[in-house]
């Protein structure tokens, strides 16, 4: 049994000494009641002060104390008696706060919480309570291991603050520093509920003892940072509420939490974002120094006004509206004139006057912060500051002009990145910038950057082009706004357009090999055409539009000339944008046509086709193998022009450019490019160069300057490819060997007969063709054989038309026949069957031409020449027919191929031998004799018999 001389023992007869000194002076009746209760609790009080092995003893003692003082039987107990008992119990109860048994600590804390609102001695007891609580919560390490008990202690502090604080805070003020010291620890407690309760307590302290909270400086906001970044959204929201009150008391901690607030404004939870915006809105209205820190707070609301959630955007707009309304009241002298004319606010128009002035006052510092933010390594941060600039520009409007030189380079760098959402936000900034800033201002900044490429990086130039296209879109869309100040933006843009178009025409830009740059060039041109279309038709605007239309067309045809396919990233987008721009440009020209195909001309090309050719001709002499785009552009212009290329003026200019490319002073690639262009356009001459049937007038120049030099054999694969293109052009000019008449001129295909006869001999075209029959490339051998066959066909028809008239020109002479048939005979042994078939067909046409030539030459030399194979005319030996040896060589060379396994070859050779058997009695006899001698060697004599029938018939004719 415990001794009564314990320090907690009650000595009722001596109230002025020992523990009873803590008791209040009570009336006699109340003192008796108090003494009775204390006697019943004395042993329990003693137990609370001892370290007993029985872990349940203190729990039973605390339960009894609660029952005797706060239980149902003590409901009518006078508060003075209860206060007297509390003074005695406080010390042992506080000792139990650190008891090893968790439940004892729990019961003791709850007991103090229960006494607190019912006693009158709470102020005098606060020192004991707070000292004990501080010992449990404010240490460097966590002393109280139980999360629930730590939470109970915070609840106790909150209840004590509610009991003492409302009375002007006098009772709480002496302990406010202790509160702050404890809260600085509990705000970073790992238990979320403790953090939330601590944040609520901060709000109460800011109300009850603001001066004490201000003494803490930025310590409380810094401690709140842990709650602001907590993984639970509810903790973050409570932390924001606490931060609101702490900053309203003392602004010192704002800088410490500002970046965190920006991050919370992008929180994935809508409630957190809404709480941040509400906090900032309250600060803008209630902070004493709110206008000094506006540049720090406004960006958070501005970012929220670009939020994806409509409710968040509306809430931010409402906060800005309230801040603007307060500005109008406090700075009425600044805004009173504008307020008289503010008719747009509230009807979905501009922000209110006060909000606009508030933005203008802070523009410089916000722009500086935004430019720094746009250079941040974090893509989300860059996107956030881009959204801030979007809203800032809407509030500052034309007043942002002075910051163009600072903002645009930052946007160029941002748009050069790969993050799609960042680029999208930056382009939105540029679009708004273009809406409110005059084109001459932003183009003065952008064009030098476009030309230099920001020091040489390709991605930077891409960023410049992206921003420029957005700027142009903004200027074009400004006309749709109900603002007289902005309605003329598109016309201003068109006036400044020549400078931009000249920059785009630079070889470093439109001639760049990087498809990303070309795609953005197409985007810029599309916006340029949009601006042209926006002002087309306005009074006095046509002259300005006309000055830029040709430059735009030049850029477009170069873009459309770029080679690529869907495998090249960005090519299809670039091509699509360029085509769309071309259609829009056609509309701006006033034509009813809305589209153009590659083969159809338009009003636009009718107007500028010759100008395009002149522009190409200016630089033609400088073209080298590296000027691929220029050659492709010429091809595109001619293809797009369609029948316009055959107009008298246009045809001459076009062929002058092509022939100029064919001179020996140019690289082989340039000369080859000229032939490629001719080759493509001559596939459909009626739809291009020969649309007015004037092409034959220029064929002599083509033969002399382009085709003949190219057919000269030179070593190398490049030279071989060059000859191949020359053969293709020649083939298309011969055009099947058909004889046609245009006026007084007789043509074979598109080549005048006299030109072919004269130049063919002068430049030895047939000799060069014979050489091409020996090319390594099979397609060239095939085409050469086809050309020889078609020339022979034309010669046959020409000689047949002339009859025995020897006064006309000869397309093919005897010596040339002797060379050609030998070369064609070699091709009958070619490795490729298609070439053998074509050679046999050409031989057939050649033999027929020989027959017509012999008929025409029959009277040459008079009586002395009859029966001879050659005669002398004016001192020159002239062949007039082939002798038996040549016919025998032909028959022998072809007969063996009639036993070939390929039926197509057998039939082609049979047709050629039939032609031999039909030429003359001599050739028929030679064929008949030889075929009869080899008939038994062939697997089938069907084809031989068919030739013999023809030969017999010709022999009978004589």
């Amino acid at each position: 049994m415990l001794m009564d001389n314990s320090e907690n023992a009650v000595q009722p007869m001596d109230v002025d000494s020992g523990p009873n000194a803590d008791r209040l002076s009570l009336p006699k009746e109340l003192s008796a009641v108090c003494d009775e209760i204390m006697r019943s609790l004395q042993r329990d009080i003693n137990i609370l002060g001892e370290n007993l092995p029985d872990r349940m003893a203190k729990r039973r003692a605390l339960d009894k104390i609660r029952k005797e003082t706060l239980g149902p039987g003590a409901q009518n107990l006078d508060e003075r008696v209860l206060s007297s008992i509390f003074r005695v119990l406080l010390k042992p109860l506080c000792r139990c706060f650190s008891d090893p048994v968790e439940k004892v600590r729990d019961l003791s804390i709850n007991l103090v919480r229960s006494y607190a609102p019912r006693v009158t001695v709470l102020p005098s007891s606060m020192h004991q309570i707070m000292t004990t609580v501080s010992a449990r919560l404010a240490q460097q390490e966590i002393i109280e291991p139980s999360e629930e008990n730590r939470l109970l202690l915070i609840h106790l502090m909150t209840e004590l603050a509610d009991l003492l604080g409302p009375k002007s805070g006098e009772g709480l003020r002496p302990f406010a520093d202790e509160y702050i010291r404890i809260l600085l620890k509990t705000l970073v407690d790992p238990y979320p509920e403790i953090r939330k309760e601590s944040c609520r307590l901060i709000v109460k302290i800011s109300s009850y003892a603001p001066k004490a909270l201000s003494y803490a400086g930025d310590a409380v906001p810094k401690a709140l940072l842990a709650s602001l970044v907590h993984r639970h959204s509810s903790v973050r929201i409570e932390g924001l509420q606490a931060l609101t009150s702490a900053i309203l008391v003392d602004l010192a901690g704002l800088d410490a939490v500002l970046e965190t607030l920006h991050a919370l404004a992008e929180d994935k939870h809508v409630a957190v974002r809404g709480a941040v915006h509400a906090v900032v809105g309250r600060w803008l209205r209630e902070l004493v120094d709110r206008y000094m820190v506006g540049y720090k707070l406004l960006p958070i609301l501005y970012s929220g006004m670009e939020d994806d959630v409509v409710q968040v955007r509306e809430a931010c707009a409402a906060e800005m509206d309230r801040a603007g309304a307060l500005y109008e009241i406090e700075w009425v002298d600044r805004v009173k004139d504008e307020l008289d004319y503010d008719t747009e606010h509230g009807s979905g128009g501009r922000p209110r006057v006060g909000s606009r002035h508030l933005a203008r006052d802070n523009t410089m510092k916000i722009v500086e912060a935004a430019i720094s933010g746009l250079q941040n390594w974090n893509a989300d941060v860059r996107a956030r500051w881009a959204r801030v600039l979007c809203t800032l520009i809407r509030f500052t409007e034309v007043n942002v002009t002075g910051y163009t030189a600072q903002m645009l380079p930052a946007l160029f760098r941002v748009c050069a990145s790969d993050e799609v959402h960042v680029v999208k936000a930056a382009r939105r900034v540029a679009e708004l910038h273009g809406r409110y800033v005059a084109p001459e201002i932003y183009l003065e900044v952008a064009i030098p950057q476009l030309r230099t490429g920001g020091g040489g990086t390709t991605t930077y130039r891409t960023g410049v082009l992206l921003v420029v296209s957005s700027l142009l879109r903004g200027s074009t869309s400004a006309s749709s706004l109900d603002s007289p100040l902005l309605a003329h933006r598109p016309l201003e843009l068109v006036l400044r357009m020549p400078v931009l178009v000249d920059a785009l025409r630079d070889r470093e830009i439109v001639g760049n090999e990087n498809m990303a740059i070309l795609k953005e060039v197409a985007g810029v041109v599309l916006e340029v055409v949009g601006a042209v279309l926006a002002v087309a038709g306005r009074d006095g605007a046509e002259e300005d539009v006309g000055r830029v239309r040709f430059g735009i067309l030049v850029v477009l045809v170069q873009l459309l000339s770029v080679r690529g396919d869907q495998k090249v990233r960005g090519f299809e987008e670039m091509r699509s944008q360029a085509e769309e721009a071309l259609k829009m440009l056609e509309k701006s020209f006033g034509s009813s046509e809305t589209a153009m195909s590659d083969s159809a001309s338009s009003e636009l090309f009718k107007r500028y086709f010759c100008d395009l050719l002149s522009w190409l001709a200016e630089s033609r002499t400088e073209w080298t193998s590296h000027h691929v785009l220029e050659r492709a552009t010429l091809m595109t212009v001619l293809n797009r022009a369609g029948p316009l290329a055959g107009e008298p003026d246009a045809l001459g200019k076009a062929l002058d450019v092509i022939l100029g490319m064919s001179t020996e002073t140019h690289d082989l690639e340039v000369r080859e490019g000229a032939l490629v262009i001719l080759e493509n356009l001559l596939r459909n001459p009626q739809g291009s160069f020969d649309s007015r049937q004037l092409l034959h007038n220029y064929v002599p120049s083509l033969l002399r300057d382009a085709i003949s030099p190219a057919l000269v054999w030179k070593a190398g694969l490049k030279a071989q490819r060059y000859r191949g293109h020359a053969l293709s052009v020649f083939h298309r000019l011969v055009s099947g060997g058909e004889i046609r008449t245009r006026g007084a001129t007789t043509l074979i295909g598109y080549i005048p007969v006299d030109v072919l006869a004269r130049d063919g001999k002068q430049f030895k075209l047939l000799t060069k063709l014979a050489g091409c029959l020996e090319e390594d490339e099979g397609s060239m051998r095939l085409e050469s054989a086809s050309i020889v066959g078609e020339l022979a066909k034309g010669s046959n028809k020409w000689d047949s038309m002339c009859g025995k008239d020897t006064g006309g020109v000869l397309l093919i002479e005897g010596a040339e026949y002797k060379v050609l048939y030998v070369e064609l005979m070699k091709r009958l042994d070619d490795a490729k069957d298609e070439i053998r078939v074509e050679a046999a067909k050409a031989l057939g046409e050649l033999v027929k031409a020989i027959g017509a030539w012999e008929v025409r030459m029959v009277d040459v030399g008079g009586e002395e020449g009859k029966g001879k194979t050659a005669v002398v005319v004016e001192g020159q030996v002239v062949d007039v027919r082939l002798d038996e040896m040549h016919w025998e060589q032909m028959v022998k060379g072809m007969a063996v191929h009639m036993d070939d396994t390929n039926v197509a070859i057998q039939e082609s050779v049979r047709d050629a031998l039939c032609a031999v058997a039909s030429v003359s009695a001599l050739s028929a006899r030679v064929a008949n004799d030889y075929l009869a001698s080899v008939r038994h060697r062939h697997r089938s004599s069907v084809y031989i018999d068919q030739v013999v029938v023809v030969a017999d018939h010709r022999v009978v004719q004589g």
Side-chain angles (χ1 to χ4, degrees):
M1 183 173 180
L2 296 174
M3 300 301 294
D4 289 342
N5 61 356
S6 169
E7 62 177 352
N8 294 317
V10 178
Q11 301 179 19
M13 299 306 294
D14 185 7
V15 296
D16 295 326
S17 64
N20 293 330
D22 289 337
R23 290 170 51 182
L24 300 174
S25 297
L26 300 173
K28 187 175 182 179
E29 299 82 2
L30 297 179
S31 179
V33 174
C34 181
D35 290 342
E36 181 182 354
I37 295 173
M38 292 302 297
R39 279 192 294 272
S40 66
L41 297 178
Q42 184 60 56
R43 183 174 180 278
D44 301 296
I45 294 173
N46 292 341
I47 290 174
L48 294 179
E50 296 292 336
N51 294 323
L52 301 175
D54 186 359
R55 297 173 62 90
M56 298 297 294
K58 290 185 180 181
R59 291 183 58 178
R60 289 193 295 269
L62 290 170
D63 288 338
K64 182 179 178 183
I65 291 172
R66 173 176 287 279
K67 181 179 179 181
E68 292 295 331
T69 58
L70 299 172
Q75 290 296 323
N76 298 323
L77 196 63
D78 191 278
E79 66 177 11
R80 289 173 291 178
V81 174
L82 191 60
S83 298
S84 181
I85 295 171
F86 176 68
R87 293 188 65 177
V88 175
L89 293 173
L90 180 60
K91 185 175 181 180
L93 287 175
C94 287
R95 289 184 64 184
C96 289
F97 282 13
S98 58
D99 193 88
V101 180
E102 180 180 340
K103 188 61 179 177
V104 173
R105 300 196 301 274
D106 185 330
L107 291 172
S108 60
I109 295 170
N110 279 318
L111 199 55
V112 173
R113 292 177 63 193
S114 299
Y115 281 127
R118 301 179 63 177
V119 300
T120 59
V121 293
L122 188 59
S124 61
S125 306
M126 282 293 292
H127 177 73
Q128 178 77 42
I129 297 172
M130 291 306 300
T131 301
T132 306
V133 173
S134 179
R136 302 300 291 172
L137 297 180
Q139 304 309 307
Q140 190 68 28
E141 302 293 335
I142 296 177
I143 303 301
E144 173 55 62
S146 171
E147 294 177 341
E148 289 77 7
N149 285 344
R150 295 202 301 273
L151 181 60
L152 285 175
L153 289 172
I154 298 297
H155 282 307
L156 173 60
M157 293 175 63
T158 302
E159 292 166 2
L160 293 175
D162 287 336
L163 291 170
L164 299 176
K167 300 174 182 179
S168 303
E170 293 296 333
L172 183 62
R173 196 169 297 153
F175 310 101
D177 290 341
E178 195 67 35
Y179 262 78
I180 299 301
R181 195 164 71 89
I182 295 171
L183 287 171
L184 290 177
K185 295 297 182 180
T186 59
L187 283 171
V188 295
D189 194 279
Y191 187 34
E193 293 300 322
I194 295 176
R195 291 196 187 192
K196 290 197 284 187
E197 191 61 31
S198 300
C199 291
R200 298 186 189 107
L201 187 52
I202 288 289
V203 176
K204 294 179 183 294
I205 297 296
S206 68
S207 175
Y208 300 150
K211 185 172 291 187
L213 190 60
S214 68
Y215 290 156
D218 61 354
V220 173
K222 287 181 177 179
L224 283 168
L225 283 174
S227 298
L228 296 178
V229 298
H230 196 271
R231 65 182 184 276
H232 292 172
S233 61
S234 58
V235 177
R236 298 198 293 274
I237 293 174
E238 292 292 346
L240 285 168
Q241 301 304 322
L243 183 65
T244 305
S245 302
I247 297 298
L248 285 173
V249 170
D250 185 10
L251 195 58
L254 180 60
D255 290 338
V257 298
L258 194 59
E259 190 59 36
T260 303
L261 287 175
H262 277 288
L264 287 174
E266 305 295 322
D267 197 276
K268 62 181 180 179
H269 287 276
V270 177
V272 176
R273 300 204 299 273
V276 173
H277 301 142
V279 166
V280 173
R282 184 179 173 190
W283 285 344
L284 285 173
R285 296 191 305 275
E286 298 181 14
L287 276 174
V288 177
D289 298 327
R290 53 185 171 272
Y291 297 115
M292 293 179 60
V293 295
Y295 70 95
K296 298 179 181 179
L297 303 178
L298 287 172
I300 298 176
L301 280 183
Y302 288 165
S303 176
M305 293 179 74
E306 292 287 321
D307 197 275
D308 296 333
V309 180
V310 176
Q311 290 81 357
V312 175
R313 295 199 299 268
E314 292 176 347
C316 291
E319 294 290 352
M320 275 303 304
D321 196 70
R322 285 192 284 270
L326 181 61
Y327 187 97
E328 292 170 4
I329 295 173
E330 295 179 339
W331 301 95
V332 64
D333 292 339
R334 292 186 181 181
V335 299
K336 60 182 179 180
D337 292 337
E338 290 185 54
L339 286 173
D340 295 337
Y341 299 97
D342 183 29
T343 59
E344 299 179 17
H345 172 64
S347 60
R350 301 163 67 190
R352 69 184 309 144
V353 172
S355 300
R356 300 201 300 270
H357 270 270
L358 184 59
R360 294 172 194 169
D361 292 348
N362 295 278
T363 300
M364 183 178 71
K365 291 186 176 180
I366 293 178
V367 169
E368 290 176 355
I371 292 174
S372 177
L374 290 174
Q375 298 172 359
N376 193 283
W377 65 271
N378 190 315
D380 292 334
V381 173
R382 298 200 297 274
R384 182 180 74 226
W385 279 106
R387 291 195 294 272
V388 170
L389 285 177
C390 282
T391 307
L392 177 67
I393 293 173
R394 283 203 298 268
F395 278 87
T396 55
E397 298 174 339
V398 295
N399 293 279
V400 78
T401 300
Y403 303 94
T404 300
Q406 290 79 35
M407 290 173 61
L408 290 189
L411 294 177
F412 297 156
R413 287 188 290 271
V414 170
C415 288
S417 66
D418 294 331
E419 293 84 0
V420 176
H421 69 291
V422 179
V423 174
K424 182 179 179 181
R427 295 192 69 181
R428 177 65 179 151
V429 175
E431 184 175 344
L432 288 168
H433 197 92
R435 176 182 297 178
Y436 294 107
V437 178
E440 60 180 334
I441 302 297
Y442 63 70
L443 287 179
E444 187 176 345
V445 176
I447 290 178
Q449 297 288 327
L450 181 60
R451 291 185 186 277
T452 61
T457 61
T458 299
T459 54
Y460 184 82
R461 184 170 275 156
T462 304
V464 175
L465 289 166
L466 279 167
V467 172
V468 169
S469 65
S470 299
L471 288 168
L472 299 179
R473 187 182 307 119
S475 294
T476 304
S477 64
S479 61
S480 63
L481 302 178
D482 188 15
S483 172
L485 184 65
L486 304 178
H488 60 284
R489 279 282 185 265
L491 185 57
E492 289 182 358
L493 180 58
V494 171
L495 292 175
R496 303 294 300 177
M497 202 65 69
V499 181
L500 175 60
V501 173
D502 287 344
L504 294 176
R505 289 173 59 179
D506 192 289
R507 182 174 173 80
E508 287 294 320
I509 308 298
V510 75
N512 202 292
E513 295 181 356
N514 189 296
M515 189 56 67
I517 288 181
L518 297 181
K519 188 182 84 169
E520 302 313 328
V521 170
V524 172
V525 175
L526 188 60
E527 298 301 334
V528 170
V529 177
V532 170
L533 200 59
V535 301
R538 292 189 185 181
D539 293 339
E542 184 57 34
E543 183 178 353
D544 299 323
V545 170
R547 281 199 295 266
V548 300
R549 190 183 284 121
F550 175 71
I552 297 171
L553 183 59
V554 168
V555 177
L556 285 176
V557 294
Q558 290 185 85
L559 289 174
L560 292 170
S561 304
V562 175
R563 297 177 182 177
D565 54 35
Q566 60 184 359
K567 295 181 181 178
V568 180
R569 184 179 178 183
F571 174 76
E572 289 188 340
E573 293 89 338
M574 181 274 291
R575 185 105 183 158
S576 175
Q577 288 179 329
E579 291 285 3
E580 183 179 354
L582 197 57
K583 294 176 183 178
M584 292 172 63
L585 193 63
E586 178 71 12
K587 292 180 183 178
S588 74
F589 197 74
S591 172
S592 59
E593 295 182 35
T594 58
M596 292 185 299
S597 65
D598 286 350
S599 60
S601 60
S602 67
E603 292 297 325
L604 185 65
F605 267 71
K606 288 179 183 177
R607 169 64 180 82
Y608 293 111
F609 179 57
C610 289
D611 294 337
L612 288 170
L613 292 175
S614 299
W615 164 68
L616 288 166
E618 290 175 1
S619 61
R620 179 202 63 201
T621 56
E622 303 172 0
W623 292 359
T624 65
S625 59
H626 303 291
H627 289 74
V628 178
L629 180 62
E630 284 75 0
R631 302 196 298 272
T633 302
L634 177 59
M635 172 76 78
T636 301
V637 169
L638 293 173
N639 280 334
R640 295 265 171 174
L644 290 176
E647 296 292 332
D649 294 340
L651 181 59
K653 288 186 176 183
L655 292 179
D656 282 346
V657 175
I658 293 173
L659 291 172
M661 295 167 59
S662 303
T663 60
E664 291 292 331
T665 57
H666 282 101
D667 293 343
L668 179 62
E669 289 80 2
V670 179
R671 287 177 275 147
E672 182 183 353
L675 293 176
V676 170
I677 293 172
L678 286 171
E679 181 181 350
N680 287 328
L681 291 174
L682 289 175
R683 287 174 180 162
N684 179 25
Q686 292 78 16
S688 57
F689 282 156
D690 201 43
S691 61
R692 292 300 182 92
Q693 298 186 351
L694 299 174
L695 176 60
H696 63 279
N697 295 327
Y698 298 89
V699 168
S701 299
L702 292 176
L703 288 175
R704 180 180 63 251
D705 301 327
I707 297 174
S708 180
L711 292 177
V712 176
W713 189 92
K714 292 182 181 179
L717 292 177
K718 289 184 178 180
Q720 183 188 68
R721 189 171 60 245
Y722 181 36
R723 291 194 300 276
H725 290 301
L727 284 173
S728 297
V729 174
F730 195 10
H731 195 183
R732 284 167 173 74
L733 288 176
V734 174
S735 186
E738 297 295 332
I739 296 290
R740 65 184 79 178
T741 302
R742 288 184 180 172
T745 305
T746 302
L747 310 175
I748 294 182
Y750 296 96
I751 308 176
V753 170
D754 57 338
V755 171
L756 184 59
R758 182 187 68 245
D759 292 351
K761 294 176 177 58
Q762 181 180 352
F763 300 111
K764 301 180 179 179
L765 287 177
L766 292 176
T767 303
K768 293 174 181 177
L769 280 175
C772 291
L773 287 169
E774 298 285 346
E775 290 286 353
D776 295 334
E777 181 63 35
S779 61
M780 293 178 63
R781 299 197 301 273
L782 178 66
E783 194 148 33
S784 299
S786 180
I787 293 172
V788 171
E790 291 178 0
L791 284 176
K793 181 179 178 181
S795 178
N796 177 28
K797 293 180 178 180
W798 171 249
D799 288 341
S800 298
M801 287 173 57
C802 293
K804 296 182 179 181
D805 179 14
T806 59
V809 296
L810 284 174
L811 295 181
I812 305 176
E813 295 183 347
E816 294 167 330
Y817 282 124
K818 294 175 183 178
V819 172
L820 289 175
Y821 89 78
V822 172
E823 295 299 328
L824 288 174
M825 295 280 290
K826 293 178 183 179
R827 290 305 100 216
L828 292 179
D829 294 319
D830 199 278
K832 294 184 178 181
D833 284 352
E834 59 179 341
I835 297 177
R836 297 171 66 196
V837 171
E838 191 62 39
K841 291 179 180 178
L843 269 172
E845 295 295 339
L846 190 69
V847 169
K848 294 176 184 177
I850 292 173
W853 166 71
E854 288 188 350
V855 171
R856 187 174 177 190
M857 302 297 290
V858 69
D859 292 333
V860 174
E863 291 297 328
E864 295 180 2
K866 289 183 178 181
K868 296 181 180 180
T869 58
V871 296
V872 177
V873 179
E874 297 179 356
Q876 299 289 331
V877 178
V878 178
D879 291 318
V880 294
R881 63 185 59 83
L882 297 185
D883 59 19
E884 183 176 349
M885 180 190 67
H886 291 290
W887 291 118
E888 186 176 345
Q889 185 177 356
M890 267 192 265
V891 173
K892 287 180 178 181
M894 287 190 281
V896 68
H897 296 288
M898 279 205 300
D899 198 31
D900 198 271
T901 57
N902 190 324
V903 175
I905 295 174
Q906 287 180 302
E907 293 178 349
S908 299
V909 173
R910 177 205 60 194
D911 295 339
L913 282 173
C914 287
V916 171
S918 303
V919 169
S920 64
L922 175 61
S923 64
R925 179 174 54 79
V926 170
N928 200 349
D929 293 345
Y930 183 76
L931 291 177
S933 66
V934 297
R935 184 174 182 276
H936 64 281
R937 299 178 188 174
H938 286 233
R939 288 169 294 179
S940 173
S941 61
V942 174
Y943 296 116
I944 290 180
D945 293 341
Q946 293 174 358
V947 176
V948 169
V949 170
V950 175
D952 289 341
H953 180 69
R954 184 66 180 87
V955 171
V956 171
Q957 287 182 341

